[in-house]
Amino acid sequence: MALRAAFQNDCNAIYGWQSEHAFVTCDGCEMEPIVGPRYRCQDCPDYDLCEDCYRAFVRTCEPPEGSDGDIEDEEEPFHDCEHVFVRADGAERSVRLVLSGSGDDELRMCKFLEAFPPSQATGTDLAWIQLENPAAHVAARPAQESEAAIEEDTDDPEAEMSDARVDRAAVESSHAPREGEESLDERIDSAVEEWLAYTDGRTPSNAEAVAFVRGLARKYDIRGGKWLLFTTTELVDAAWHALAQATLRGRLATVKVSSRGDDGRHALCAYVTDFLDGGRVGAVRRVLEQLSLPGVTKLLFKPDLFTYLAIRHGNPWRLRPVLWQCPYTAR
Protein backbone atom coordinates (compact mmCIF):
# COMPACT_ATOMS: atom_id res chain seq x y z
CA MET A 1 0.00 0.00 0.00
CA ALA A 2 1.47 3.35 -1.10
CA LEU A 3 0.35 5.13 2.07
CA ARG A 4 2.16 2.66 4.32
CA ALA A 5 5.26 2.86 2.16
CA ALA A 6 5.26 6.64 2.61
CA PHE A 7 5.50 6.07 6.37
CA GLN A 8 8.74 4.11 6.07
CA ASN A 9 10.45 7.47 6.50
CA ASP A 10 8.40 9.20 9.21
CA CYS A 11 10.21 12.52 8.73
CA ASN A 12 10.60 13.05 4.99
CA ALA A 13 13.90 14.85 4.49
CA ILE A 14 13.09 16.01 0.96
CA TYR A 15 9.54 17.32 1.20
CA GLY A 16 9.38 18.02 4.93
CA TRP A 17 6.37 16.13 6.25
CA GLN A 18 6.56 14.39 9.59
CA SER A 19 4.48 12.01 11.65
CA GLU A 20 3.33 12.76 15.18
CA HIS A 21 1.97 10.40 17.82
CA ALA A 22 -0.76 12.35 19.61
CA PHE A 23 -1.05 11.88 23.39
CA VAL A 24 2.18 9.81 23.45
CA THR A 25 5.15 11.05 25.51
CA CYS A 26 8.71 9.80 25.13
CA ASP A 27 9.74 8.31 28.48
CA GLY A 28 13.36 9.10 27.69
CA CYS A 29 13.37 12.83 26.86
CA GLU A 30 9.68 13.67 27.57
CA MET A 31 9.00 14.83 24.01
CA GLU A 32 5.23 15.25 23.61
CA PRO A 33 3.92 14.31 21.18
CA ILE A 34 6.54 11.97 19.82
CA VAL A 35 7.58 13.23 16.39
CA GLY A 36 8.87 10.65 13.94
CA PRO A 37 9.18 6.93 14.72
CA ARG A 38 7.80 5.68 18.03
CA TYR A 39 9.19 2.60 19.77
CA ARG A 40 7.02 0.80 22.34
CA CYS A 41 8.31 -1.55 25.05
CA GLN A 42 6.67 -4.95 24.77
CA ASP A 43 7.42 -5.75 28.42
CA CYS A 44 5.97 -2.61 30.04
CA PRO A 45 2.33 -1.46 30.09
CA ASP A 46 3.14 2.13 29.05
CA TYR A 47 6.70 2.90 27.99
CA ASP A 48 7.58 4.62 24.70
CA LEU A 49 10.71 6.11 23.19
CA CYS A 50 11.34 8.50 20.32
CA GLU A 51 13.91 7.50 17.70
CA ASP A 52 16.82 9.36 19.33
CA CYS A 53 16.15 7.82 22.74
CA TYR A 54 15.66 4.38 21.27
CA ARG A 55 19.03 4.60 19.51
CA ALA A 56 20.60 5.74 22.78
CA PHE A 57 18.99 2.80 24.58
CA VAL A 58 20.35 0.34 22.01
CA ARG A 59 23.79 1.93 22.17
CA THR A 60 24.03 1.74 25.97
CA CYS A 61 22.81 -1.87 26.04
CA GLU A 62 25.32 -3.09 23.47
CA PRO A 63 28.94 -3.29 24.67
CA PRO A 64 31.42 -1.40 22.46
CA GLU A 65 33.05 -3.42 19.73
CA GLY A 66 36.20 -5.14 20.97
CA SER A 67 35.24 -4.91 24.64
CA ASP A 68 34.83 -7.87 26.96
CA GLY A 69 31.17 -7.07 27.54
CA ASP A 70 31.79 -5.01 30.66
CA ILE A 71 29.86 -1.72 30.40
CA GLU A 72 30.77 -0.52 33.86
CA ASP A 73 32.75 2.42 32.46
CA GLU A 74 30.25 3.14 29.71
CA GLU A 75 27.00 5.10 29.79
CA GLU A 76 24.48 3.38 32.05
CA PRO A 77 21.31 2.03 30.33
CA PHE A 78 18.19 3.95 31.36
CA HIS A 79 15.86 0.98 30.80
CA ASP A 80 16.06 -2.78 31.27
CA CYS A 81 18.22 -4.14 28.45
CA GLU A 82 16.29 -7.41 28.49
CA HIS A 83 13.13 -5.64 27.34
CA VAL A 84 12.09 -5.79 23.69
CA PHE A 85 10.99 -2.69 21.74
CA VAL A 86 8.93 -2.65 18.54
CA ARG A 87 8.22 0.21 16.21
CA ALA A 88 4.62 1.25 16.82
CA ASP A 89 2.15 2.66 14.31
CA GLY A 90 -1.59 3.07 14.50
CA ALA A 91 -4.56 5.29 15.11
CA GLU A 92 -2.85 7.80 17.41
CA ARG A 93 -0.51 8.78 14.59
CA SER A 94 -0.95 11.86 12.42
CA VAL A 95 1.09 13.11 9.51
CA ARG A 96 1.63 16.84 9.02
CA LEU A 97 3.11 19.14 6.41
CA VAL A 98 3.84 22.77 7.29
CA LEU A 99 4.22 25.09 4.30
CA SER A 100 7.18 27.44 4.47
CA GLY A 101 6.17 30.21 2.10
CA SER A 102 8.97 29.25 -0.30
CA GLY A 103 8.70 28.63 -4.01
CA ASP A 104 8.69 24.85 -3.62
CA ASP A 105 5.55 24.73 -1.45
CA GLU A 106 3.35 23.66 -4.35
CA LEU A 107 5.65 20.75 -5.23
CA ARG A 108 5.93 19.73 -1.56
CA MET A 109 2.15 19.80 -1.14
CA CYS A 110 1.57 17.80 -4.33
CA LYS A 111 3.97 15.11 -3.13
CA PHE A 112 2.26 15.12 0.26
CA LEU A 113 -1.21 14.67 -1.27
CA GLU A 114 0.12 11.93 -3.52
CA ALA A 115 1.73 10.07 -0.61
CA PHE A 116 -1.23 10.28 1.76
CA PRO A 117 -4.60 10.04 -0.03
CA PRO A 118 -7.29 9.96 2.69
CA SER A 119 -9.39 7.50 0.70
CA GLN A 120 -6.69 4.89 1.40
CA ALA A 121 -6.16 5.75 5.09
CA THR A 122 -7.60 3.51 7.79
CA GLY A 123 -7.32 3.57 11.56
CA THR A 124 -4.55 0.98 11.41
CA ASP A 125 -2.38 3.50 9.54
CA LEU A 126 -3.08 6.88 11.10
CA ALA A 127 -5.80 9.12 12.49
CA TRP A 128 -5.28 12.48 10.73
CA ILE A 129 -3.59 14.04 7.71
CA GLN A 130 -2.87 17.72 8.38
CA LEU A 131 -1.70 20.70 6.33
CA GLU A 132 -0.69 24.09 7.76
CA ASN A 133 0.16 27.46 6.27
CA PRO A 134 1.52 29.79 9.00
CA ALA A 135 1.46 32.72 6.57
CA ALA A 136 -2.26 32.39 5.83
CA HIS A 137 -4.38 35.48 6.27
CA VAL A 138 -8.13 34.99 6.34
CA ALA A 139 -9.92 38.28 5.80
CA ALA A 140 -12.50 38.69 8.56
CA ARG A 141 -16.06 39.83 8.02
CA PRO A 142 -17.66 42.13 10.57
CA ALA A 143 -18.51 40.02 13.61
CA GLN A 144 -22.14 41.11 13.79
CA GLU A 145 -22.73 40.20 10.14
CA SER A 146 -21.02 36.79 10.31
CA GLU A 147 -22.70 35.68 13.53
CA ALA A 148 -26.12 36.65 12.23
CA ALA A 149 -25.55 34.44 9.19
CA ILE A 150 -24.88 31.30 11.26
CA GLU A 151 -27.80 29.30 12.56
CA GLU A 152 -27.91 27.89 16.08
CA ASP A 153 -27.59 24.13 15.95
CA THR A 154 -29.97 21.39 16.91
CA ASP A 155 -28.58 18.18 18.39
CA ASP A 156 -26.44 16.49 15.75
CA PRO A 157 -24.61 13.16 16.23
CA GLU A 158 -22.20 13.80 13.35
CA ALA A 159 -20.09 16.11 15.49
CA GLU A 160 -19.21 13.20 17.76
CA MET A 161 -17.19 11.54 15.01
CA SER A 162 -14.40 14.10 15.35
CA ASP A 163 -14.36 13.84 19.17
CA ALA A 164 -13.11 10.27 19.00
CA ARG A 165 -10.15 11.49 16.96
CA VAL A 166 -9.44 14.89 18.49
CA ASP A 167 -5.91 16.02 17.75
CA ARG A 168 -4.65 18.08 20.67
CA ALA A 169 -1.36 18.74 18.88
CA ALA A 170 -3.13 21.02 16.41
CA VAL A 171 -4.32 23.14 19.32
CA GLU A 172 -1.04 22.92 21.22
CA SER A 173 0.93 24.36 18.30
CA SER A 174 -1.12 27.56 18.30
CA HIS A 175 -1.06 27.98 22.10
CA ALA A 176 2.56 27.24 23.01
CA PRO A 177 3.04 28.52 26.60
CA ARG A 178 5.58 31.22 27.31
CA GLU A 179 8.02 30.79 30.17
CA GLY A 180 6.17 30.66 33.48
CA GLU A 181 2.77 30.04 31.86
CA GLU A 182 0.65 26.94 32.29
CA SER A 183 0.75 24.37 29.52
CA LEU A 184 -2.33 23.63 27.43
CA ASP A 185 -2.92 20.41 29.36
CA GLU A 186 -2.83 22.30 32.66
CA ARG A 187 -5.26 24.92 31.36
CA ILE A 188 -7.59 22.25 30.04
CA ASP A 189 -7.55 20.47 33.42
CA SER A 190 -8.41 23.75 35.17
CA ALA A 191 -11.25 24.47 32.75
CA VAL A 192 -12.67 20.95 33.15
CA GLU A 193 -12.53 21.24 36.94
CA GLU A 194 -14.38 24.56 36.86
CA TRP A 195 -16.97 23.18 34.40
CA LEU A 196 -17.68 20.15 36.58
CA ALA A 197 -18.12 22.40 39.61
CA TYR A 198 -20.49 24.64 37.62
CA THR A 199 -22.65 21.73 36.43
CA ASP A 200 -22.63 19.80 39.70
CA GLY A 201 -26.26 19.32 40.69
CA ARG A 202 -27.64 21.50 37.89
CA THR A 203 -28.48 21.27 34.22
CA PRO A 204 -27.82 24.64 32.57
CA SER A 205 -29.78 25.75 29.55
CA ASN A 206 -27.90 25.79 26.26
CA ALA A 207 -27.58 29.58 26.37
CA GLU A 208 -26.25 29.48 29.94
CA ALA A 209 -23.76 26.76 29.09
CA VAL A 210 -22.47 28.57 26.00
CA ALA A 211 -22.00 31.77 27.99
CA PHE A 212 -20.06 29.87 30.66
CA VAL A 213 -17.88 28.11 28.07
CA ARG A 214 -17.10 31.46 26.45
CA GLY A 215 -15.97 32.69 29.85
CA LEU A 216 -13.72 29.65 30.29
CA ALA A 217 -12.24 30.25 26.84
CA ARG A 218 -11.27 33.80 27.80
CA LYS A 219 -10.03 32.86 31.28
CA TYR A 220 -7.84 29.94 30.19
CA ASP A 221 -7.04 31.10 26.65
CA ILE A 222 -8.46 28.01 24.97
CA ARG A 223 -10.02 29.73 21.98
CA GLY A 224 -9.50 27.32 19.12
CA GLY A 225 -12.31 25.75 17.14
CA LYS A 226 -13.05 24.19 13.79
CA TRP A 227 -15.61 23.93 11.06
CA LEU A 228 -16.49 20.24 10.62
CA LEU A 229 -17.48 18.74 7.29
CA PHE A 230 -18.25 15.13 6.39
CA THR A 231 -17.99 13.24 3.12
CA THR A 232 -17.61 9.70 1.81
CA THR A 233 -14.51 7.69 0.93
CA GLU A 234 -15.41 7.91 -2.75
CA LEU A 235 -15.42 11.72 -2.66
CA VAL A 236 -12.96 12.58 0.10
CA ASP A 237 -9.84 12.93 -2.07
CA ALA A 238 -11.47 15.64 -4.21
CA ALA A 239 -12.75 17.50 -1.14
CA TRP A 240 -9.34 17.26 0.56
CA HIS A 241 -7.55 18.57 -2.54
CA ALA A 242 -9.87 21.60 -2.59
CA LEU A 243 -9.08 22.38 1.07
CA ALA A 244 -5.36 21.88 0.42
CA GLN A 245 -5.36 24.27 -2.54
CA ALA A 246 -7.12 26.93 -0.44
CA THR A 247 -4.47 26.45 2.27
CA LEU A 248 -1.62 26.72 -0.24
CA ARG A 249 -3.07 30.03 -1.44
CA GLY A 250 -3.27 31.35 2.13
CA ARG A 251 -7.05 31.35 2.35
CA LEU A 252 -7.06 28.79 5.18
CA ALA A 253 -4.46 28.34 7.91
CA THR A 254 -4.85 24.76 9.18
CA VAL A 255 -6.89 21.94 7.65
CA LYS A 256 -6.96 18.22 8.26
CA VAL A 257 -8.83 15.10 7.20
CA SER A 258 -9.47 11.89 9.12
CA SER A 259 -8.88 8.33 8.07
CA ARG A 260 -11.91 6.31 7.05
CA GLY A 261 -14.45 5.73 9.81
CA ASP A 262 -16.39 2.54 10.42
CA ASP A 263 -19.28 4.02 8.45
CA GLY A 264 -17.08 4.75 5.43
CA ARG A 265 -17.03 8.49 6.01
CA HIS A 266 -14.31 11.03 6.71
CA ALA A 267 -14.27 14.20 8.81
CA LEU A 268 -12.62 17.30 7.37
CA CYS A 269 -11.71 20.25 9.60
CA ALA A 270 -10.86 23.89 8.91
CA TYR A 271 -9.43 25.52 12.03
CA VAL A 272 -10.10 28.91 13.55
CA THR A 273 -7.68 30.24 16.18
CA ASP A 274 -10.35 32.19 18.11
CA PHE A 275 -13.98 31.08 18.10
CA LEU A 276 -14.84 34.18 20.15
CA ASP A 277 -14.04 36.28 17.07
CA GLY A 278 -17.22 35.94 15.04
CA GLY A 279 -15.64 37.73 12.11
CA ARG A 280 -12.92 35.12 11.78
CA VAL A 281 -15.36 32.26 12.17
CA GLY A 282 -17.58 33.72 9.46
CA ALA A 283 -14.62 34.39 7.18
CA VAL A 284 -13.52 30.76 7.23
CA ARG A 285 -17.09 29.68 6.58
CA ARG A 286 -17.20 31.99 3.56
CA VAL A 287 -13.98 30.44 2.17
CA LEU A 288 -15.46 26.95 2.55
CA GLU A 289 -18.63 27.98 0.74
CA GLN A 290 -16.55 29.25 -2.18
CA LEU A 291 -14.95 25.84 -2.66
CA SER A 292 -16.31 22.75 -4.36
CA LEU A 293 -16.43 20.08 -1.65
CA PRO A 294 -18.09 16.92 -3.02
CA GLY A 295 -20.39 15.05 -0.68
CA VAL A 296 -20.57 17.82 1.94
CA THR A 297 -24.12 18.88 2.86
CA LYS A 298 -23.66 20.98 6.00
CA LEU A 299 -21.11 22.83 8.10
CA LEU A 300 -20.84 22.32 11.86
CA PHE A 301 -18.77 24.56 14.12
CA LYS A 302 -17.33 23.17 17.33
CA PRO A 303 -15.07 24.96 19.84
CA ASP A 304 -12.22 22.79 21.09
CA LEU A 305 -13.47 23.41 24.62
CA PHE A 306 -16.66 21.51 23.79
CA THR A 307 -14.51 18.44 23.16
CA TYR A 308 -12.43 18.84 26.30
CA LEU A 309 -15.56 19.37 28.43
CA ALA A 310 -17.24 16.27 26.92
CA ILE A 311 -20.06 18.33 25.37
CA ARG A 312 -20.80 15.77 22.69
CA HIS A 313 -23.84 13.98 21.31
CA GLY A 314 -25.77 12.39 24.18
CA ASN A 315 -23.98 14.40 26.87
CA PRO A 316 -25.51 14.24 30.38
CA TRP A 317 -26.50 17.93 30.31
CA ARG A 318 -28.50 17.53 27.06
CA LEU A 319 -26.58 20.38 25.49
CA ARG A 320 -26.12 20.89 21.77
CA PRO A 321 -22.83 19.26 20.72
CA VAL A 322 -21.87 22.04 18.30
CA LEU A 323 -22.09 25.79 18.55
CA TRP A 324 -23.38 26.52 15.05
CA GLN A 325 -24.72 24.64 12.08
CA CYS A 326 -25.59 25.80 8.59
CA PRO A 327 -26.33 24.09 5.27
CA TYR A 328 -23.41 23.85 2.86
CA THR A 329 -24.08 25.42 -0.49
CA ALA A 330 -21.08 25.77 -2.78
CA ARG A 331 -21.07 29.10 -4.58
Side-chain angles (χ1 to χ4, degrees):
M1 186 179 191
L3 186 145
R4 292 179 182 175
F7 263 131
Q8 291 178 358
N9 183 359
D10 288 69
C11 297
N12 186 285
I14 300 175
Y15 302 114
W17 64 69
Q18 61 184 23
S19 64
E20 296 181 348
H21 298 263
F23 311 111
V24 181
T25 302
C26 174
D27 290 287
C29 65
E30 298 187 350
M31 175 196 294
E32 183 185 5
I34 289 180
V35 176
R38 167 197 174 193
Y39 295 87
R40 183 174 60 216
C41 179
Q42 294 290 87
D43 299 285
C44 298
D46 183 17
Y47 194 92
D48 300 274
L49 296 176
C50 66
E51 184 168 42
D52 287 346
C53 290
Y54 174 71
R55 291 184 183 278
F57 165 72
V58 171
R59 184 180 66 250
T60 56
C61 286
E62 293 180 353
E65 195 172 321
S67 73
D68 59 3
D70 185 4
I71 62 172
E72 183 176 340
D73 296 329
E74 304 296 330
E75 184 180 355
E76 285 294 323
F78 54 84
H79 195 67
D80 191 331
C81 290
E82 298 296 321
H83 286 195
V84 176
F85 281 80
V86 296
R87 181 163 164 165
D89 301 323
E92 86 292 332
R93 182 169 62 172
S94 301
V95 64
R96 179 174 65 143
L97 176 66
V98 180
L99 302 177
S100 62
S102 61
D104 64 349
D105 271 351
E106 186 166 6
L107 173 62
R108 294 172 60 226
M109 189 187 77
C110 287
K111 292 295 184 180
F112 182 67
L113 296 178
E114 179 182 328
F116 300 101
S119 63
Q120 297 183 29
T122 67
T124 58
D125 302 313
L126 78 167
W128 293 101
I129 303 166
Q130 183 166 316
L131 180 67
E132 298 178 23
N133 185 350
H137 176 71
V138 182
R141 301 164 65 183
Q144 193 172 29
E145 174 193 349
S146 62
E147 288 186 353
I150 302 173
E151 301 172 6
E152 284 290 340
D153 176 58
T154 56
D155 194 25
D156 197 313
E158 283 192 328
E160 189 175 9
M161 179 180 175
S162 68
D163 283 344
R165 308 170 177 186
V166 64
D167 184 2
R168 191 172 294 190
V171 184
E172 185 84 64
S173 63
S174 62
H175 291 285
R178 292 182 290 272
E179 186 175 355
E181 289 186 344
E182 289 185 321
S183 68
L184 176 65
D185 282 341
E186 290 172 326
R187 287 180 279 135
I188 290 172
D189 289 343
S190 296
V192 170
E193 184 178 353
E194 196 165 328
W195 168 255
L196 292 177
Y198 170 69
T199 56
D200 185 25
R202 68 189 301 259
T203 303
S205 68
N206 200 72
E208 290 172 335
V210 168
F212 191 83
V213 170
R214 287 177 180 270
L216 292 177
R218 295 186 183 93
K219 181 175 181 179
Y220 296 107
D221 194 24
I222 309 174
R223 298 168 176 256
K226 65 257 184 188
W227 281 107
L228 293 167
L229 310 83
F230 296 89
T231 191
T232 64
T233 296
E234 293 74 23
L235 301 173
V236 67
D237 288 345
W240 176 234
H241 279 227
L243 287 180
Q245 287 294 332
T247 305
L248 175 67
R249 295 187 175 92
R251 302 181 67 197
L252 297 171
T254 300
V255 294
K256 66 181 186 180
V257 59
S258 74
S259 57
R260 183 170 64 250
D262 294 338
D263 60 356
R265 295 193 309 157
H266 300 253
L268 301 106
C269 303
Y271 275 83
V272 175
T273 55
D274 187 356
F275 80 91
L276 300 176
D277 184 341
R280 298 288 177 185
V281 174
V284 172
R285 175 200 173 191
R286 181 174 58 179
V287 171
L288 296 174
E289 290 177 334
Q290 291 170 348
L291 303 177
S292 176
L293 302 172
V296 175
T297 59
K298 57 186 170 183
L299 305 177
L300 308 168
F301 187 85
K302 185 160 195 170
D304 294 324
L305 258 178
F306 273 31
T307 299
Y308 303 142
L309 302 178
I311 302 176
R312 57 175 63 95
H313 177 66
N315 64 79
W317 311 285
R318 300 181 181 177
L319 300 173
R320 296 167 182 161
V322 294
L323 188 56
W324 295 300
Q325 172 182 308
C326 53
Y328 171 72
T329 306
R331 296 177 181 174

